[in-house]
Amino acid sequence: MKTLQGKHIVLGISGGIAAYKSAYLLRALIKRGAEVQVVMTPSGKEFITPATLSALSGKPVVSEFFSANTGEWHSHVDLGLWADLMVIAPATANTIGKMANGIADNMLVTTYLSAKEQVMVAPAMDLDMWKHPSTQRNVETLRKDGVIIIEPEAGELASGLTGKGRMEEPEAIARRIELFFEKSQSLRGKRVVVTAGPTYENIDPVRFIGNYSSGKMGFAIAEEFSARGAEVTVVAGPVSIKLQNPAIRRIDVVSAKEMYGACMSLAGDSDCMVLAAAVADYAPAVVSDKKIKRELAEDMCIRLVRNPDIAASLGKEKNGTLLVGFALETDKEEENAIAKLKRKNLDWIVLNSMRDPEAGFMKDTNKVTVISAAGDKKAFPAKSKRDVARDIVDIVSVDLTK
Ligand code: CTP
């Protein structure tokens, strides 16, 4: 089946013995209908000839910035615009190290640095190189940068050693690529709103009541929905982080009332709303327009009034929109979360406990239990916020695509 018909794939090949397998991978992609442009590092060419690869792909292989015979300049930027996916297989420890550190001394890494599309990396190296803290650190950096790592397999290595480091088999990589494209369309046409970050409630022009929310969880969820083809709007409180996918629309707000206004106006046009923001429950009753001066009195009082509850308001008026709330609790976690889910008329609630060291504000990890209105419950181990986002979107997608 031509499952990759019309897809543009850049296949990056760096210099490792597994480069011979790239020819099989290339064939597997072409057979599935993809158009493939091969980009090689200079040492990649020592392991497999560009002639073989260009015969299989039907395109000249790109490896130098300038073509030796024509003097034509190869634009890595154009390749980045052309491609729907970049796959680097094999990726050596050297290439991974350069990618993680932005060292752009060959056509392959330069192409990576200008890639706008998803990048997948299939590492291949000897056991000890793979295990080395430096390689592991670099792989982790790539993961954080949004690269999908196709983990090497355990098996017999070219060195004669046995262990992890062998590149995943070409057919398995081709299947991963197929699944990536299938998934990237799975929520096409669905409109999703995600709230993220804290809210700031002004006291005077220089002070506010806020909280430590970083927005990381909400942003990761927005990225994941977008990666699956959904049309995503993020309503963000004041956060210092950025969204990676330019397709995501971002509405910046400061206070709970502004967040409420933005969410209510988006609600009618949304298939799903994920309320990951840490919204302040109260705001000062009066906001001073001048900086409040130190008084002679020993203490002072700021009267607070209740903010609108965005989740509960959406729950009251929901008309087919799936609502996903969050509950960050310190005690009686499940009981409190289920009470919140019911009180706010949510479809799902994502519970995390302040008692878990991996959960909470400003962390890169989270440990969640997802509970549905129907009483289904799924507890996950501690994971990166990116992986937690994947789990949450997996669960919600089932209902969203019913
Ligand atoms: N939420 C909201 N608007 C508010 C307060 C909370 O939309 N004014 C949402 C949060 O985004 C989250 C869920 O409601 O999805 C639960 O937030 P939380 O602060 O835990 O709930 P509260 O109802 O404020 O309960 P608590 O008494 O624990 O603060």
Side-chain angles (χ1 to χ4, degrees), residues 195 256 275-281 307-312 324-329 340 343-344 346 349:
T195 69
L275 308 159
V279 187
D281 289 328
N307 270 330
D309 186 326
I310 303 166
V324 185
F326 271 71
L328 176 60
E329 304 292 339
K340 250 171 221 180
R343 191 170 71 237
K344 303 189 187 212
L346 305 173
I349 196 146

Side-chain angles (χ1 to χ4, degrees), residues 40-281:
M40 301 179 85
T41 63
S43 61
K45 290 194 284 187
E46 311 271 336
F47 289 89
I48 183 162
T49 69
T52 306
L53 298 165
S54 79
L56 288 173
S57 67
K59 287 179 191 296
V61 166
V62 174
S63 143
E64 313 295 337
F65 293 106
F66 291 96
S67 193
N69 31 9
T70 61
E72 183 197 352
W73 181 59
H74 295 130
S75 167
H76 47 91
V77 179
D78 287 352
L79 270 182
L81 292 175
W82 172 82
D84 301 308
L85 178 73
M86 178 174 191
V87 188
I88 303 174
T92 57
N94 182 40
T95 291
I96 289 172
K98 286 181 187 175
M99 290 167 70
N101 292 286
I103 299 168
D105 67 346
N106 65 41
M107 192 63 192
L108 174 51
V109 196
T110 331
T111 305
Y112 165 68
L113 289 180
S114 11
K116 291 199 166 49
E117 67 281 8
Q118 177 66 53
V119 179
M120 286 185 185
V121 156
M125 64 197 75
D126 209 31
L127 169 69
D128 296 315
M129 289 177 88
W130 173 251
K131 279 200 310 206
H132 197 280
S134 152
T135 308
Q136 288 304 312
R137 215 170 34 241
N138 289 332
V139 168
E140 207 34 52
T141 302
L142 292 189
R143 267 208 189 94
K144 282 205 183 111
D145 291 343
V147 172
I148 297 172
I149 307 292
I150 302 174
E151 291 272 331
E153 296 215 283
E156 202 179 312
L157 302 166
S159 61
L161 293 172
T162 303
K164 207 167 168 180
R166 204 167 73 173
M167 189 174 92
E168 178 59 286
E169 290 307 317
E171 265 303 319
I173 299 179
R175 186 73 199 119
R176 284 283 290 267
I177 292 172
E178 258 174 0
L179 287 175
F180 163 77
F181 281 114
E182 262 170 41
K183 212 172 172 188
S184 69
Q185 299 301 319
S186 62
L187 294 179
R188 210 195 175 99
K190 301 290 175 198
R191 292 154 306 172
V192 177
V193 174
V194 181
T195 69
T199 63
Y200 285 179
E201 310 301 327
N202 284 347
I203 299 170
D204 69 12
V206 297
R207 302 180 181 95
F208 60 85
I209 296 172
N211 60 66
Y212 289 119
S213 169
S214 62
K216 284 180 185 168
M217 194 64 249
F219 275 38
I221 291 170
E223 297 282 358
E224 186 59 30
F225 270 115
S226 184
R228 298 189 195 193
E231 214 177 278
V232 183
T233 304
V234 171
V235 181
V239 292
S240 56
I241 55 172
K242 288 198 168 77
L243 287 158
Q244 287 182 353
N245 192 332
I248 301 173
R249 178 176 163 221
R250 174 170 172 168
I251 300 175
D252 286 303
V253 297
V254 177
S255 66
K257 285 191 196 76
E258 283 172 27
M259 191 173 271
Y260 172 83
C263 288
M264 295 316 277
S265 67
L266 291 165
D269 285 331
S270 305
D271 299 299
C272 175
M273 298 181 88
V274 182
L275 308 159
V279 187
D281 289 328

Side-chain angles (χ1 to χ4, degrees), residues 282-300:
Y282 291 88
V286 182
V287 182
S288 168
D289 55 356
K290 293 196 184 68
K291 188 179 170 204
I292 300 172
K293 287 294 182 195
R294 186 208 298 255
E295 302 284 345
L296 286 176
E298 278 303 308
D299 55 10
M300 78 174 289

